[in-house]
Every structure is written in structure tokens, then in C-alpha cells.
Amino acid sequence: TSHTLITWYFFATGAATMIAAVATLSAVGLNRWQSHAPVMMLIPIAYLVAAKFYGEQASAKPLLWVAHTAAGVMLISSLASAFEAFSDGSDNQTLHLSLALFFAEASVFYGLATWFRRQPWCIYMSSFMASAAFWQVLAWFALGTQAYILVFAVIGLGMLLAYRLSLLEQTAAAPLAEALFQSANAVLSLSFISSVLYGLSRIASEEMSGGGEGVIHWEFAGFCLVMLGISALAILITQHPAGRRWYVVTTVGQAVVLLLAVHKLIDLNPWQQMELLAVMIGILLLGIGHYGWYREQDQQS
């Protein structure tokens, strides 16, 4: 049929455009894939915008399919090339910047797809690509694991707050609010689990080194305290019972890691350590008890 023929024409044109772009970039001296990726990602964005201009015409869907196919090819190729470059010891600083720009463009692509077509799965991809872009920027600055976890936690908390304030529901993107909520939970959960595992690994390293290498510092305790505060804020922000229960669990986990870190940092005799640990556990239980009292409302227990 004519519609099928038009679809094939669009796909052939898209493939030819991408091949021509690669050849042009190679001709001007950009022979590495990390140099190609940020420029090539503009092609799917252009096709997506073109599909928007076609509106409800028959050509809009083929253009949209070409845009998503080209974006998928770019993602697979870029990840494979990045893995190869990291493996052979290439210039990681340049690679981090190129990947940060590429993932930012990919986030824009899926954000536009969400805006244009109201496709909920695109907001997940946009959130994931934005997180990957932040990750590459942090890797370029060499800020370390704590910065990675903290940035993801802040991003997830911001997304959860946007959902709580119904910012999307006040716009035409209201159907995507649930997708935003799920994305926020995924990012926050990833950061909290990573924080607990990272903290436990640091404490275990301190145990094995006998404290001689100074694996645990007050800076680490401050990081644990900030993550504990973010987890507690997540309890207050979310209104879903299952989400609250999960964030209570993550808050307890963060508190345990903080207590262990402080226990390692303070040089006390065994009785003093036991007293300090008992006080901290009592404060934690008191906080949990007050939370339970708040949840009971007019009931008594």
C-alpha cells in the first residue's frame, strides 16, 4: 500500500541521512564515535520535531517511528563505543563530556516525545537519560561515589516534590503524573540502596584495616546524615501508604549506617560506646514511635 511505501521511504531517507552525517564528520577530521554522537543525536530530534509539524497527517507516524529507531540505534552504538573506550584506556575526560552532552540530548528527545505524544514510557527514558548525563558530568569532575549518590537522591526528591505539588496536573501533561511518581521512586530507591551498601562497605573496610587507613571520616558521617534527612523528607512528601512504608525502611537503614559510622569515629571506652549506642537507638525508636502516633490520628495504642 501507499502508506507502507511512504514508511519505507522515510526509513531509507533516515538511514541515508545518518550515513551521510557520519561521512561528513569523518571528512572534517572527527573520526571517533564520541565526537559523532552529540551531533548525530540531533537527527532523531529533527525527525521528532518534523513529526510534530505534520500533526495528524499520515506521514506523522512514520516520521515518529524513524525518530525513535534512530534514537535507539544511537543509544546502543554510544553505549557500546563508550564501553570499548573505557576498556582500552582512552581519554576518559573527553569521553565523559561527550557522553554527558549526548545523554542530555537524549533526555531532550524523550522529553519532547513525552510533550508531543503524551507517551508515559518516554518520561521514564527522559529521566534515565537526564540521570546518565548528570552521572557523566560528575565523573568528569571526579567528585566521587558520595556525590553520585547524593545528586541522584536530590533529583529523585525534586521529582517526588513536583508530583506532590501536582505541578504536572496543572498542565496538559497531567496523564504523565503517575509516570513521574514512579520515576521519582525508582531514582530515590536506587540512591538509598546504593547509599546503604556503600556505607556498609566503607565500615567493613574500616574493620578489615583495623582503623589504620582512616576509611571512615566525619565527612562520611555528614553524607550519611544528609541521606538520612532526604529519606525522612521522602516519608513526609509521599502520600502513598506503600511508598511511605518503603521510605521508613530506607530511613531506618540510613540511620543504622550513620550510627555505625559515628560509633567508629568516636574514641570511647566500651561502656561509653554502649551508652552512646543506647541513646542513639532510643532517639531512633522515639522518632519511630512519634511517627506511629502521628499515623494513629485519633486512635490510641
Side-chain angles (χ1 to χ4, degrees):
T1 63
S2 59
H3 181 69
T4 303
L5 188 61
I6 291 173
T7 302
W8 281 109
Y9 279 154
F10 276 127
F11 271 96
T13 304
T17 302
M18 296 188 73
I19 293 172
V22 171
T24 303
L25 292 171
S26 299
V28 298
L30 300 176
N31 298 315
R32 303 178 69 180
W33 184 252
Q34 56 258 40
S35 302
H36 294 178
V39 179
M40 296 285 292
M41 192 61 205
L42 297 175
I43 297 175
I45 294 176
Y47 269 89
L48 189 65
V49 174
K52 173 63 175 178
F53 284 141
Y54 271 88
E56 299 300 326
Q57 298 182 30
S59 301
K61 280 190 176 181
L63 281 172
L64 186 64
W65 295 339
V66 172
H68 281 292
T69 302
V73 170
M74 289 299 304
L75 282 174
I76 295 173
S77 302
S78 296
L79 291 175
S81 300
F83 178 78
E84 182 180 355
F86 282 124
S87 300
D88 63 16
S90 300
D91 183 10
N92 287 350
Q93 292 299 98
T94 303
L95 183 59
H96 285 312
L97 285 179
S98 298
L99 286 176
L101 180 56
F102 169 75
F103 285 128
E105 291 175 341
S107 179
V108 170
F109 172 83
Y110 286 109
L112 289 174
T114 303
W115 182 26
F116 292 161
R117 296 290 173 175
R118 301 293 185 266
Q119 296 175 310
W121 67 273
C122 288
I123 197 171
Y124 295 109
M125 291 298 296
S126 181
S127 302
F128 179 73
M129 293 295 108
S131 299
F134 272 110
W135 174 34
Q136 293 301 321
V137 171
L138 293 172
W140 184 74
F141 282 108
L143 295 180
T145 305
Q146 293 182 17
Y148 296 166
I149 296 173
L150 187 58
V151 167
F152 283 121
V154 171
I155 292 174
L157 188 66
M159 295 166 63
L160 190 64
L161 185 61
Y163 172 79
R164 179 67 177 82
L165 298 177
S166 303
L167 297 183
L168 283 186
E169 294 179 359
Q170 301 171 12
T171 67
L176 304 173
E178 187 63 26
L180 177 66
F181 174 69
Q182 297 298 340
S183 298
N185 286 329
V187 174
L188 278 174
S189 298
L190 177 63
S191 63
F192 291 148
I193 293 172
S194 301
S195 174
V196 171
L197 294 178
Y198 170 72
L200 293 176
S201 68
R202 288 281 297 267
I203 293 170
S205 299
E206 179 82 6
E207 286 285 348
M208 289 186 291
S209 65
E213 298 181 5
V215 179
I216 301 296
H217 305 283
W218 282 108
E219 178 187 355
F220 172 71
F223 162 75
C224 295
L225 181 62
V226 172
M227 291 299 299
L228 175 63
I230 293 175
S231 185
L233 284 175
I235 297 175
L236 299 176
I237 292 174
T238 186
Q239 290 184 317
H240 290 64
R244 279 186 172 177
R245 286 192 292 270
W246 166 241
Y247 290 131
V248 167
V249 172
T250 61
T251 301
V252 172
Q254 299 292 338
V256 169
V257 174
L258 176 60
L259 291 175
L260 292 174
V262 172
H263 175 72
K264 289 292 180 184
L265 287 167
I266 298 179
D267 186 17
L268 301 174
N269 63 49
W271 287 109
Q272 291 172 327
Q273 289 182 355
M274 185 179 299
E275 180 183 3
L276 178 63
L277 184 62
V279 171
M280 289 183 172
I281 293 176
I283 292 173
L284 177 62
L285 293 175
L286 187 62
I288 295 174
H290 275 81
Y291 173 74
W293 170 76
Y294 171 76
R295 288 291 306 276
E296 287 174 1
Q297 300 296 332
D298 294 332
Q299 300 176 5
Q300 292 185 357
S301 173

